[in-house]
Amino acid sequence: MMKQVTDEELEDSVVRMCAPTLLGVKPANMFTFSGRFSDDEVQAPSANAFEDARVWCRAAGCEEPFNQACADGCAGSWSQPRAADGEHGYVDQPCPCTVTEQRREELGLLVSGLDRELGPYGVRVRVIAWRAFGAIVLAYRPNLLVSHLRDARTAAVLASLGYPVLNSALTAGMRETFLDALLAHLARRFAAEKLPHEIGFFLGYPYEDVEGFVRHRGRKFRFCGCWKVYGDPRAAAKLFARYRRCTRRCVRLRRSGSTAVDIAAGCRYRGRGGA
């Protein structure tokens, strides 16, 4: 049986992996929340396994005709022997694809709840993509992220990839709506590719580093830390050291009982950039 997703586990991950964002030092952080949240990478079953899967699908109440994801998910889960029962020949269990959907719903609700709690303190959280190995979660500060994406070179690259074009005349409320449109397109890009290279722009990477990574295909970098650096290595080293200080600080606060909201709220009242 799959372990239930908990808000404590999610919050631990956000504090540990998104500390620079919580402290207002970085526009956004991204991490993978481990677990099976997609059936896309399940191998095709054998003919016999497919027949077994159909039996399990019916037992679990799946609607016919069974789609491929349902059949693949059920068949893949029949690889281990199970105790027989009188009617179906196997122990009655929930359909794997149904379990996956339930896990997505569970995590989605937890992420939405944390997003509502952090929103008043300038931090947003959302799931960008579902994968067989985990959910890709983005924590970001809308104001900082919009400011970073205003770079004309960055905006031009994003526009060439189908992203909406940022209008400098947008009001604060309209900027939030515009950012939602950008992130919705980013989610579509994640659905089409494993890891779109432009994600670096959304994580606050300098234009030179993202452009250099794409141009050199990840080679010929000048320094490697939180990401591969193609610009100033000294400035990058100082920045990475600051990010590490943020993480150590947030982990200490979390261990002492602070929540992600406490940390984000403390950043708001202290002023940004204190790490």
Side-chain angles (χ1 to χ4, degrees):
M1 181 176 294
M2 292 186 178
K3 184 178 67 172
Q4 184 177 10
V5 180
T6 65
D7 53 355
E8 187 85 4
E9 188 179 3
L10 173 63
E11 196 160 350
D12 284 343
S13 297
V14 170
V15 170
R16 186 176 67 256
M17 306 302 296
C18 305
T21 297
L22 290 177
L23 293 178
V25 173
K26 193 171 184 283
N29 282 98
M30 186 177 72
F31 68 95
T32 300
F33 188 86
S34 298
R36 190 175 188 87
F37 294 97
S38 172
D39 295 308
D40 292 343
E41 299 173 28
V42 176
Q43 294 181 350
S46 66
N48 290 338
F50 180 76
E51 292 303 317
D52 286 341
R54 293 179 63 184
V55 173
W56 192 4
C57 285
R58 292 192 184 97
C62 299
E63 295 183 2
E64 295 193 54
F66 309 120
N67 61 38
Q68 192 62 46
C70 183
D72 288 354
C74 290
S77 295
W78 283 69
S79 59
Q80 300 296 325
R82 294 176 171 82
D85 68 32
E87 183 178 356
H88 304 295
Y90 293 90
V91 170
D92 188 18
Q93 299 192 43
C95 172
C97 58
T98 301
V99 172
T100 300
E101 291 173 1
Q102 290 173 347
R103 285 178 62 80
R104 283 201 297 264
E105 183 178 357
E106 287 175 4
L107 182 60
L109 290 173
L110 293 177
V111 169
S112 296
L114 186 58
D115 178 64
R116 287 192 299 271
E117 293 177 359
L118 288 170
Y121 304 102
V123 179
R124 303 293 307 276
V125 186
R126 66 195 296 165
V127 176
I128 291 295
W130 304 103
R131 296 285 190 261
F133 55 82
I136 300 177
V137 181
L138 182 74
Y140 61 99
R141 286 187 172 271
N143 290 339
L144 293 182
L145 186 52
V146 168
S147 296
H148 181 75
L149 297 177
R150 282 182 181 278
D151 181 274
R153 299 166 300 174
T154 297
V157 173
L158 293 179
S160 71
L161 295 172
Y163 288 86
V165 178
L166 178 63
N167 185 337
S168 59
L170 292 176
T171 64
M174 294 172 65
R175 284 198 297 270
E176 186 96 8
T177 301
F178 171 79
L179 186 55
D180 285 340
L182 281 175
L183 295 176
H185 190 75
L186 177 63
R188 289 191 290 272
R189 292 277 293 163
F190 264 95
E193 300 182 23
K194 287 186 177 181
L195 186 65
H197 291 316
E198 70 270 14
I199 184 60
F201 293 132
F202 290 89
L203 297 176
Y205 299 1
Y207 173 84
E208 293 80 9
D209 294 343
V210 180
E211 190 274 337
F213 182 90
V214 174
R215 178 154 50 91
H216 297 292
R217 299 182 180 181
R219 300 187 294 268
K220 299 182 180 180
F221 49 90
R222 304 181 65 190
F223 181 68
C224 186
C226 299
W227 60 82
K228 292 181 178 179
V229 176
Y230 292 83
D232 184 352
R234 290 187 178 181
K238 291 180 180 178
L239 186 61
F240 296 161
R242 190 180 187 192
Y243 291 163
R244 289 193 294 270
R245 291 196 299 272
C246 288
T247 300
R248 289 195 295 268
R249 178 179 181 181
C250 286
V251 169
R252 285 197 303 269
L253 289 171
R254 180 65 174 161
R255 288 174 178 169
S256 67
S258 296
T259 66
V261 173
D262 293 333
I263 295 170
C267 167
R268 175 182 178 179
Y269 296 128
R270 285 190 309 270
R272 292 174 184 164

